[in-house]
Amino acid sequence: MKIRIATIAGAVLMAGMLHAQNNNPAPQLGKASIDEVISAMTLEEKAKLLVGDHEFDYYVNGTVKDEIPDIAGTSAAIPRLGIPVTYYTDGPAGVNIAPTRKGTDKTFYCTAFPVATMLASTWNPGLVHQVGEAIGNEALEYGCDVVLAPAINLHRNPLCGRNFEYYSEDPVLIGKTASAMISGIQSNGVGTSLKHFAANNQETFRRENDSRISQRALRELYLRGFEIAVRESHPWTIMSAYNLINGTACSESYKLLTTILRDEWGFNGFVMTDWVRLQIRDIATQIHAGNEMMMPGYPEQIDQVVAAVKEGRLAEADLDLAVKRMLEVIVRTPRFKGYKFSNDPDLAAHAEITRTAANEGIILLKNEGSTLPLSDKSTKIALFGCGSYDLFAGGLGSGEVNAAKIVNIDEGLRNYGFSLNKELESIYQGMKQEIGISPKYAALRAEDSDVAIVTIRRNAGEYVDRRAIKGDFYLDDVETYLLKNVSEAFHARGKKVIVILNTGGVIETASWKDLADAIVLPWQPGVEGGNTIADILTGKVNPSGKLTMTWPVEYMDIPSSKNFPYDFEGNSWKAGPVRDSFDPNKRNIGFTEYEEGIWVGYRYFSTYKIPVSFPFGYGLSYTTFSYSEPKVRLGKKGLWEASVKVTNTGSVSGKEVVELYVTAPESKMEKPVRELKAFGKTGELAPGESQTVTLTFTTDDLASFDEARNCWVTDAGTYEVHFAASSDDLRQSVPIKVRKSSVRTVLTKLD
Ligand code: GLC
């Protein structure tokens, strides 16, 4: 009897609850206001939303966490409030997900686009925008909501393992290129995550290393690219960097993530951490600082958030603000909008975009006696080097892409109808280790071939920095032996030698570049690599790329060389698993002194007239260009309008990058001899054709950062505006007068 009554009572209670629930259903995201949804959330649900969901070894709220295998991260679903899982995929060179899945023979290959450095080398934001559109479309059609890109840390030192994922040594080129990429990706209705904010300029112990940087270098170099990108393109999210800046972890820095990023620059999305290991940072400090989401996320972190609120270490208002910022992005995602993704992006169209972008990112570094282009298809080519048959299409780590096929150089040349030496092809097939070519063998090939092509390749990536030793920054003995013997043999018979540099970063060139008649830099060009390179070698496309960083004579010429995780015995530290050698008090390991301050790249080499092998902004064409009729005038709203007429004075059509540098008047602050303030690219100019290129910049853009007064200062005085073909090739100059000085204070210091 008792049981019956209990059952009846239970049924009545349940009916009552259901009745109440039906009468007051939980507010649904997108129907109710975000504030109403937040007010209906439990503390546990709020905590769960802020902690990434992808490392958990269980189904998440009934949602199959592995809907997209190998995706970098997800956010938690809260179905009762209509909050879906959202998906975050790497990376800067394309969507990084597993190409196959259990239970289906359908594949999920992606397009490996040209690496970031190569995209920046186009100096063509319009083209970068197109690549962004394609990357964003691929992410959309594979069911992703945010692309964890672009990565825009400044090329402080060529040994940084991830420089291939980054754009340049100059913050204006970084910022403008990043803005184009962000706008391109986001034009699909998917988000981006501008990373790694900030000053993550080495891989060695990146999670613990303290970047010790002056305020001026921070503002003028390491923050400036992020500032331009945030102000101009409004990324949905930002990824805080692993490292510290001047003793404070980026993901815990209120000054960085709220005062600068939001209060000064107007960022209105949310910040996620990089893929931090548990227990390195304090979660309450992070959320208060303005780092909303913890990636990849661990279950313990949910408990940590709940405990922090209950113990009063984290204000519920801060928690609610973080949840609000996340929900404001989630409602914009395709997943929330119920977009029916196809899992079938147009990879063929994206391959074509890759080829077009790579064509404009390839840089012609040398072309003695018009060695190139090879216009005669009957030319017999002796193709040397492993990279000729096994191209590095991209770099290593989270920035990798699983592409179905990469077109190698030999294939690209054969596609054009060239005949390649068969014996060399058989020697190099499957060869992973470079081989030396003896003088005798080189002579054989020089007899039966018309031209030699030698590919030198390098790869690097996340977790480990490069090494300033033979075989990485420097050629190794085998490569030197190969190049020397091929050069001697072919030159002895009046035949030419072309070197191709398939690399994601700078290498030493001064000691051997005389051995080559032509040097072509295709970086890591993505899936269409071999076809792109052939396009340039045959002259189908006239190269128009220019360097986005300085190529020094020696590694030790670089101002940051002694303040980088590389000891003078020529060994760099292994990052990542080598945990026991971490020492917080060891230079370049526990902390890195950015002792060089603003003297990075051309700012240093041009100002102090230090010889370089190839300067910033340098790149040759198969034609020539003249610059004339330079004009600079102050237009409306303090906008300077600078124009110059560019004429194709050669015999083939081509595009020219125009770089605008400004020299400031004498000042009590030491300033670089000139700094890039704007750039542009002509369309394809036929021989004899001209185009007037108009560039703009503001008076504020001319400011330097005054540490003593913690403000940007534009001095009054006469500035020289230079129209240039490289940082050391000034073609036309025009003086302009800034009548009165101006000061813009900033809200904080990162000290
Ligand atoms: C890595 C990288 C970051 C990447 C993330 C997800 O640690 O630093 O660039 O987006 O984890 O893979």
Side-chain angles (χ1 to χ4, degrees):
M1 190 55 178
K2 211 176 262 163
I3 292 170
R4 261 178 59 73
I5 292 171
T7 309
I8 291 166
V12 168
L13 182 66
M14 180 56 80
M17 279 174 64
L18 280 176
H19 176 70
Q21 203 174 36
N22 291 342
N23 282 1
N24 310 305
Q28 293 300 297
L29 187 63
K31 297 191 178 73
S33 75
I34 285 179
D35 288 339
E36 283 170 304
V37 170
I38 293 172
S39 58
M41 291 172 81
T42 65
L43 175 55
E44 172 89 10
E45 286 171 331
K46 292 176 186 174
K48 191 178 281 189
L49 188 67
L50 300 189
V51 177
D53 217 8
H54 194 51
E55 295 302 306
F56 299 178
D57 278 341
Y58 55 80
Y59 286 116
V60 173
N61 305 304
T63 308
V64 177
K65 77 173 176 72
D66 258 347
E67 182 179 341
I68 308 178
D70 286 1
I71 195 162
T74 58
S75 66
I78 305 178
R80 93 181 172 87
L81 296 165
I83 300 172
V85 177
T86 52
Y87 292 82
Y88 302 77
T89 179
D90 285 313
V95 175
N96 181 0
I97 57 174
T100 56
R101 293 178 188 175
K102 286 196 290 289
T104 172
D105 53 12
K106 174 174 172 37
T107 57
F108 300 82
Y109 286 106
C110 298
T111 305
F113 291 88
V115 295
T117 304
M118 184 169 204
L119 293 177
S121 301
T122 67
W123 294 67
N124 185 344
L127 190 52
V128 173
H129 189 279
Q130 284 179 42
V131 174
E133 285 171 346
I135 293 176
N137 174 263
E138 222 157 287
L140 176 72
E141 291 309 331
Y142 275 138
C144 306
D145 297 292
V146 174
V147 180
L148 303 172
I152 68 165
N153 296 102
L154 189 130
H155 286 184
R156 169 179 179 250
N157 185 292
L159 298 186
C160 173
R162 294 186 82 171
N163 275 358
F164 76 96
E165 283 188 275
Y166 305 154
Y167 291 136
S168 173
E169 69 188 31
D170 180 84
V172 168
L173 184 53
I174 291 171
K176 298 295 184 186
T177 306
S179 295
M181 178 56 71
I182 291 164
S183 306
I185 292 174
Q186 295 187 167
S187 67
N188 292 278
V190 300
T192 56
S193 194
L194 183 61
K195 66 187 186 182
H196 309 91
F197 190 54
N200 178 184
N201 304 98
Q202 70 184 59
E203 285 303 286
T204 302
F205 291 108
R206 58 182 179 163
R207 288 192 164 103
E208 299 89 355
N209 182 267
D210 181 15
S211 299
R212 295 182 181 171
I213 314 176
S214 72
Q215 298 306 306
R216 184 178 181 193
L218 270 169
R219 292 286 183 168
E220 291 190 12
L221 293 185
Y222 298 99
L223 297 179
R224 186 74 182 110
F226 286 96
E227 177 178 12
I228 293 169
V230 166
R231 288 181 188 274
E232 290 189 4
S233 60
H234 315 293
W236 287 16
T237 79
I238 293 256
M239 185 186 296
S240 58
Y242 283 124
N243 54 281
L244 293 76
I245 296 177
N246 297 333
T248 302
C250 292
S251 65
E252 295 180 347
S253 172
Y254 186 92
K255 291 179 177 179
L256 180 69
L257 303 181
T258 294
T259 310
I260 293 176
L261 180 61
R262 292 180 163 98
D263 299 348
E264 284 189 24
W265 300 349
F267 173 67
N268 64 357
F270 75 78
V271 176
M272 69 182 84
T273 63
D274 202 334
W275 268 232
V276 180
R277 276 200 215 98
L278 199 57
Q279 311 308 353
I280 282 190
R281 302 287 178 240
D282 175 76
I283 209 160
T285 309
Q286 288 175 309
I287 294 169
H288 172 70
N291 190 118
E292 287 71 34
M293 189 178 187
M294 310 300 148
M295 279 294 203
Y298 296 89
E300 301 90 324
Q301 290 174 305
I302 297 171
D303 306 336
Q304 287 172 8
V305 174
V306 171
V309 171
K310 285 182 175 169
E311 294 159 14
R313 288 180 289 109
L314 174 61
E316 184 121 26
D318 282 354
L319 181 64
D320 289 354
L321 178 57
V323 169
K324 183 179 177 90
R325 286 168 171 165
M326 279 202 67
L327 292 177
E328 286 171 341
V329 171
I330 289 172
V331 296
R332 301 167 71 182
T333 61
R335 201 55 76 147
F336 176 76
K337 293 178 177 176
Y339 178 76
K340 296 284 170 274
F341 54 92
S342 65
N343 271 327
D344 194 13
D346 189 343
L347 299 183
H350 295 170
E352 274 314 300
I353 291 169
T354 297
R355 185 168 180 170
T356 305
N359 277 343
E360 287 208 26
I362 289 191
I363 299 169
L364 181 60
L365 294 174
K366 181 178 182 182
N367 191 21
E368 290 290 294
S370 302
T371 299
L372 291 172
L374 301 174
S375 42
D376 178 356
K377 299 279 181 341
S378 67
T379 303
K380 293 196 293 290
I381 297 173
L383 193 56
F384 298 91
C386 294
S388 297
Y389 306 89
D390 178 22
L391 185 76
F392 288 148
L396 304 171
S398 59
E400 291 181 41
V401 177
N402 296 306
K405 173 182 166 45
I406 304 294
V407 179
N408 288 314
I409 296 173
D410 60 333
E411 183 181 351
L413 291 170
R414 273 200 301 276
N415 289 344
Y416 262 93
F418 286 110
S419 64
L420 309 181
N421 180 273
K422 292 270 176 284
E423 193 175 296
L424 279 171
E425 285 191 278
S426 59
I427 289 172
Y428 279 105
Q429 276 320 318
M431 184 72 70
K432 293 295 173 201
Q433 199 65 33
E434 210 54 76
I435 49 173
I437 297 289
S438 69
K440 192 154 156 282
Y441 187 82
L444 277 179
R445 291 292 74 83
E447 282 302 326
D448 61 14
S449 308
D450 301 319
V451 69
I453 296 178
V454 180
T455 301
I456 302 286
R457 65 175 184 172
R458 285 290 181 275
N459 217 339
E462 189 172 352
Y463 314 117
V464 180
D465 289 312
R466 294 174 58 194
R467 304 160 75 98
I469 56 173
K470 288 182 176 181
D472 199 339
F473 187 78
Y474 293 91
L475 296 194
D476 67 20
D477 294 340
V478 172
E479 291 168 325
T480 304
Y481 183 70
L482 158 66
L483 202 44
K484 187 167 155 303
N485 294 337
V486 167
S487 178
E488 281 171 7
F490 278 75
H491 286 163
R493 293 160 181 79
K495 297 176 179 179
K496 306 279 189 168
V497 176
I498 299 156
V499 170
I500 294 176
L501 299 180
N502 170 211
T503 173
V506 180
I507 66 168
E508 186 273 332
T509 49
S511 67
W512 56 263
K513 63 185 180 181
D514 292 346
L515 298 174
D517 301 288
I519 303 174
V520 179
L521 171 61
W523 296 112
Q524 294 170 328
V527 288
E528 284 291 311
N531 286 330
T532 307
I533 291 164
D535 288 342
I536 297 292
L537 294 182
T538 59
K540 175 173 181 265
V541 173
N542 186 354
S544 62
K546 294 198 173 180
L547 289 176
T548 66
M549 79 297 284
T550 306
W551 287 49
V553 171
E554 292 289 350
Y555 172 71
M556 295 310 280
D557 293 348
I558 299 165
S560 62
S561 55
K562 55 186 182 305
N563 284 297
F564 196 79
Y566 143 80
D567 61 33
F568 289 92
E569 286 70 54
N571 296 311
S572 68
W573 286 81
K574 281 266 165 280
V578 184
R579 306 304 303 156
D580 53 0
S581 61
F582 181 74
D583 172 352
N585 302 311
K586 188 173 176 65
R587 271 180 67 256
N588 302 333
I589 300 299
F591 64 91
T592 298
E593 291 287 359
Y594 287 45
E595 200 178 341
E596 73 282 356
I598 63 165
W599 305 107
V600 174
Y602 75 89
R603 284 173 167 77
Y604 168 73
F605 289 101
S606 298
T607 303
Y608 293 98
K609 299 187 174 45
I610 308 288
V612 298
S613 188
F614 298 108
F616 173 83
Y618 171 86
L620 298 175
S621 168
Y622 293 146
T623 188
T624 52
F625 298 96
S626 68
Y627 293 38
S628 59
E629 300 172 26
K631 295 188 186 71
V632 185
R633 67 183 194 82
L634 184 55
K636 300 177 284 303
K637 301 196 297 299
L639 202 58
W640 291 93
E641 288 163 13
S643 66
V644 68
K645 188 163 95 171
V646 178
T647 303
N648 182 341
T649 50
S651 57
V652 294
S653 67
K655 297 184 176 185
E656 171 69 339
V657 171
V658 175
E659 300 157 36
L660 185 146
Y661 297 85
V662 175
T663 298
E666 275 305 306
S667 146
K668 60 183 187 322
M669 282 174 74
E670 201 188 357
K671 296 183 182 180
V673 65
R674 51 186 164 272
E675 292 179 283
L676 183 76
K677 296 301 176 189
F679 59 91
K681 193 165 194 174
T682 68
E684 186 84 11
L685 298 180
E689 188 180 0
S690 299
Q691 178 183 335
T692 295
V693 176
T694 300
L695 306 173
T696 59
F697 59 93
T698 66
T699 302
D700 284 350
D701 289 337
L702 304 179
S704 296
F705 190 76
D706 182 334
E707 284 186 343
R709 295 189 284 165
N710 204 40
C711 62
W712 289 98
V713 179
T714 303
D715 291 327
T718 301
Y719 291 74
E720 281 296 315
V721 176
H722 310 289
F723 298 93
S726 85
S727 57
D728 287 347
D729 181 0
L730 313 184
R731 297 296 182 83
Q732 294 287 348
S733 298
V734 175
I736 61 171
K737 230 179 199 358
V738 172
R739 303 241 170 263
K740 61 184 177 50
S741 68
S742 56
V743 172
R744 282 175 298 123
T745 54
V746 293
L747 299 179
T748 189
K749 290 181 178 179
L750 292 183
D751 50 9

